[in-house]
Amino acid sequence: MSQPRVNPNCRLEDQGISGVGEAHYNQNEAQLMEAALTRAEAHLGLGGPLLVTTGAKTGRSPKDKFVVRTPGVEDTIWWENNPPMEPEAFERLHQDMLKHLEGREVFVQDLFAGADPRHRLDVRVVAELAWHGLFIRHLLRRPEASELAEFTPEFTIINCPSFKADPKRHGCRSETVIALNFEQKLILIANTEYAGENKKSVFTLLNYLLPAKGIMPMHCSANHAPGDTSDAAIFFGLSGTGKTTLSADPSRTLVGDDEHGWTDDGVFNFEGGCYAKTINLSAVAEPEIYATTSRFGTVIENMVYDPDTLELDFADNSITENMRCAYPLDAISNASETGRAGAPKNVIMLTSDAYGVMPPIARLTPEQAMVHFLSGFTSKTPGTEDGVVEPQPTFSTCFGAPFMPRRPEVYGKLLQEKIGQSGATCWLVNTGWTGGPFGTGKRMPIAATRALLAAALDGSLNGVKFRTDPNFGFEVPVEVPGVDSKLLDPRGTWADGAGYDAQAEKLVGMFRENFKQYADKVDEDVRAAAIG
């Protein structure tokens, strides 16, 4: 018996989309790959992955992302971070895109965003490219046949890379646009083949919708002890801090690597797959992620490969540093089948401190945790961008400012409440530099970071002696079995103690200056933890 591919009462015409040449509903991985290859969208790689390039756009276009200013969201959107689009301009964009799609093939995927059935979002993605359909089928959660037969989308994404927006007519910045209309429950994406826009648009939706239900949406990875979903941990962190690597611990069960929600009774993954960076990916360091790059159906995005042998070059960044692979979560052997776990016992905030000031691990009070969450600190290092000649601080609030439609303190207060309810222990982990700043010191040993995290997660770290850091006020362990005690005192790792003091004073000043924007929006105890 064939499985239904669409609710017969929910066709594209019911959503005002008519005149397309042919609509392919909920095709599976093999069918989407066949379509992508037949339409010359991609090449077939060794082992069966789909090799694609995304043209001029090899990453997100955050400056081209807009929220439609409608009465229902006027007072709740963080407009300083989310440029507005007028409803009339959005409607012109919508109608022009529909006109552009007339006579063209589209690939429709009906999917769930969220592993918790009580809080998931039913999303329909209408894609012009077959491989975009495959990508989002991996990244969101695939309904069962019985669920698909009853599926009615709550939000729809129309992604049309071949359409170029007109800034004057459509009220946008360039020919590329990502426009979210919460009133019409519609997202329009144009003039970008970068598939990550689909994924992050859904994340932005959930970041807006879930706080109204008392659910904390988070840009974090999560895992739990094997066979014990009550022993969960979450890992916040910006790019390059180790969020994916450290949560993918073979001794624990992976809940998800990027986006989660925290309810009153636990955490749940928003996604059904992973979107991992492949630059310098190693079969030794990350064997399971590496293995997905030769797996049938994996989408390999913007990687250089040998035209004769099809072998991937993991070191060649000539297309982009941001080369990636997308695959379903069940490609990882220790991944959770449910995508759910209990309330976290441990909350880890990852930072890569290129100043060499922060210790490898510190225990935070709930107030300090809110400070570091709202700060979202890491460092750009020399060579990462033109003109960067010394370490530069990066403060991305909530560890994901581009995806936060509400004010940061909304998420901060939710996190504070969840930590208070669960009694979770909070940790700050520095995966950056020790023994001096970038250029003088060295990168924190990954073996030491793993050992400290293991001690934090199994509870043994709570039993050691701690000291109070004179710069940030958090607690730092003095001695941990299996870890060189010298590493735990960052000042002692420097050859020049006075140089450390000067660098620490500089970094503390940056934190205080950045936090002033939240000073009148947080509780007094949080303000005191940040700026005294």
Side-chain angles (χ1 to χ4, degrees):
M1 179 178 176
S2 62
Q3 295 185 346
R5 289 186 175 170
V6 66
N7 178 348
N9 299 316
C10 188
R11 311 291 294 193
L12 284 180
E13 291 77 7
D14 300 325
Q15 298 171 281
I17 303 175
S18 61
V20 299
E22 187 173 2
H24 305 281
Y25 289 90
N26 298 308
Q27 289 186 324
N28 62 30
E29 290 75 6
Q31 292 165 324
L32 289 166
M33 288 187 67
E34 183 177 20
L37 294 168
T38 300
R39 289 158 51 92
E41 296 177 4
H43 292 90
L44 190 65
L46 288 174
L50 203 63
L51 309 178
V52 303
T53 56
T54 62
K57 302 291 185 181
T58 59
R60 293 180 298 103
S61 301
K63 294 182 179 178
D64 294 305
K65 186 176 179 180
F66 297 84
V67 173
V68 180
R69 190 189 288 272
T70 55
V73 301
E74 177 67 42
D75 297 330
T76 51
I77 296 292
W78 181 21
W79 293 113
E80 296 89 343
N81 189 59
N82 297 270
M85 176 180 284
E86 295 305 315
E88 297 78 12
F90 179 86
E91 188 56 31
R92 288 192 294 269
L93 176 65
H94 184 200
Q95 294 305 317
D96 289 350
M97 286 181 65
L98 292 181
K99 183 71 175 177
H100 182 82
L101 284 173
E102 288 182 2
R104 298 173 184 264
E105 281 185 289
V106 294
F107 298 84
V108 183
Q109 288 288 317
D110 293 329
L111 301 161
F112 296 140
D116 189 331
R118 300 169 300 173
H119 307 299
R120 71 189 180 200
L121 189 68
D122 296 357
V123 179
R124 168 166 285 182
V125 181
V126 182
E128 187 181 18
L129 296 174
W131 79 263
H132 274 199
L134 178 62
F135 171 91
I136 202 64
R137 184 174 175 85
H138 287 336
L139 265 295
L140 294 185
R141 304 186 69 85
R142 298 159 292 283
E144 300 291 339
S146 58
E147 297 170 318
L148 201 57
E150 302 295 327
F151 189 96
T152 301
E154 298 171 70
F155 275 81
T156 299
I157 298 172
I158 301 176
N159 191 322
C160 188
S162 68
F163 180 84
K164 297 183 183 299
D166 180 343
K168 290 184 178 179
R169 176 170 170 78
H170 301 130
C172 50
R173 189 187 71 97
S174 72
E175 293 180 333
T176 300
V177 65
I178 303 98
L180 290 77
N181 191 320
F182 288 101
E183 184 176 273
Q184 292 190 20
K185 299 186 175 182
L186 179 64
I187 298 174
L188 304 177
I189 303 174
N191 194 48
T192 173
E193 292 187 30
Y194 181 67
E197 297 288 12
N198 296 289
K199 159 188 160 71
K200 289 305 185 185
S201 292
V202 175
F203 186 38
T204 304
L205 283 180
L206 293 169
N207 282 338
Y208 182 76
L209 297 172
L210 292 180
K213 300 171 67 175
I215 298 169
M216 174 63 187
M218 304 175 293
H219 190 208
C220 73
S221 55
N223 64 25
H224 66 75
D228 184 5
T229 59
S230 69
D231 185 1
I234 56 175
F235 302 75
F236 291 101
L238 294 165
S239 179
T241 58
K243 176 164 58 80
T244 298
T245 299
L246 294 173
S247 64
D249 182 341
S251 69
R252 292 174 66 86
T253 299
L254 179 67
V255 179
D257 80 328
D258 199 38
E259 302 168 3
H260 294 80
W262 187 345
T263 69
D264 287 343
D265 55 2
V267 297
F268 66 97
N269 193 355
F270 290 167
E271 301 183 303
C274 300
Y275 190 33
K277 285 189 175 182
T278 57
I279 183 73
N280 297 322
L281 188 64
S282 163
V284 175
E286 297 179 273
E288 292 210 277
I289 297 176
Y290 185 90
T292 68
T293 62
S294 58
R295 178 186 186 277
F296 176 81
T298 294
V299 176
I300 306 288
E301 195 177 61
N302 292 321
M303 284 193 71
V304 174
Y305 58 90
D306 188 293
D308 296 320
T309 66
L310 298 180
E311 291 184 4
L312 298 169
D313 190 332
F314 293 88
D316 191 333
N317 63 355
S318 57
I319 297 177
T320 177
E321 286 270 351
N322 192 38
M323 52 199 199
R324 292 177 178 264
C325 62
Y327 51 89
L329 200 59
D330 59 18
I332 304 299
S333 62
N334 67 327
S336 166
E337 293 183 3
T338 65
R340 300 171 68 178
K345 286 186 176 180
N346 290 278
V347 174
I348 295 106
M349 298 182 184
L350 303 169
T351 184
S352 177
D353 173 24
Y355 296 87
V357 168
M358 290 189 172
I361 196 167
R363 187 167 60 189
L364 307 176
T365 66
E367 294 77 22
Q368 290 168 339
M370 188 170 174
V371 170
H372 285 276
F373 177 71
L374 288 173
S375 298
F377 168 73
T378 192
S379 305
K380 293 180 183 178
T381 54
T384 57
E385 293 181 8
D386 290 342
V388 178
V389 295
E390 65 177 16
Q392 293 184 358
T394 296
F395 292 97
S396 183
T397 189
C398 308
F399 297 98
F403 324 117
M404 302 298 163
R406 295 179 183 267
R407 288 278 324 169
E409 55 270 16
V410 172
Y411 305 103
K413 287 183 181 298
L414 268 172
L415 182 63
Q416 191 177 26
E417 289 172 4
K418 298 301 182 188
I419 290 171
Q421 292 167 1
S422 68
T425 304
C426 302
W427 307 92
L428 182 70
V429 172
N430 174 25
T431 60
W433 272 256
T434 182
F438 177 91
T440 302
K442 60 182 180 180
R443 198 72 190 257
M444 196 72 69
I446 185 66
T449 301
R450 290 189 184 279
L452 290 168
L453 272 175
L457 297 183
D458 68 18
S460 61
L461 193 56
N462 285 312
V464 305
K465 183 180 178 181
F466 284 80
R467 65 176 177 84
T468 300
D469 182 84
N471 299 302
F472 288 93
F474 43 47
E475 294 182 317
V476 180
V478 174
E479 189 173 350
V480 178
V483 178
D484 185 352
S485 297
K486 294 180 181 178
L487 198 66
L488 299 172
D489 178 12
R491 190 179 191 276
T493 65
W494 282 51
D496 176 13
Y500 172 87
D501 293 338
Q503 195 82 315
E505 184 179 359
K506 179 180 178 181
L507 184 57
V508 169
M510 291 176 183
F511 262 86
R512 287 176 174 168
E513 185 62 30
N514 177 73
F515 203 83
K516 286 180 180 178
Q517 62 186 303
Y518 311 117
D520 62 347
K521 300 178 177 67
V522 297
D523 297 338
E524 176 60 35
D525 51 355
V526 175
R527 182 162 55 251
I531 57 179

